[in-house]
Amino acid sequence: MEDGRRDGRDLTGTIRLAGAASILIATTIGYFWAPFGSPYTSAGILGGIAAISFAARGLFGSKGD
C-alpha cells in the first residue's frame, strides 16, 4: 500500500469516515455514560480525546500505513 492506495483506489475518504465515526461514538458514549458528571462535559472531553488521537495518528503515522 503506497500513497494511501489499495487496488488503485484512494483510501483517504475511508480513513476520514472512520475518524468521524470514532469521534461520534466517543461523544455518544460520553454523553450517555457521563463519567465526568455532566453529560455535555463528558461528551466534550471524550470527543476531544478521540479527535486529538485521530489527528495525532494522521500527523505522526508512517507513510506505509
Side-chain angles (χ1 to χ4, degrees), residues 14-65:
T14 305
I15 293 169
R16 287 182 182 171
L17 180 63
S22 67
I23 293 168
L24 182 63
I25 290 169
T27 304
T28 304
I29 288 171
Y31 181 79
F32 288 108
W33 186 36
F36 300 108
S38 170
Y40 295 120
T41 302
S42 299
I45 290 171
L46 292 180
I49 291 170
I52 289 170
S53 67
F54 186 72
R57 180 189 179 274
L59 288 174
F60 301 114
S62 66
K63 296 292 182 184
D65 286 345

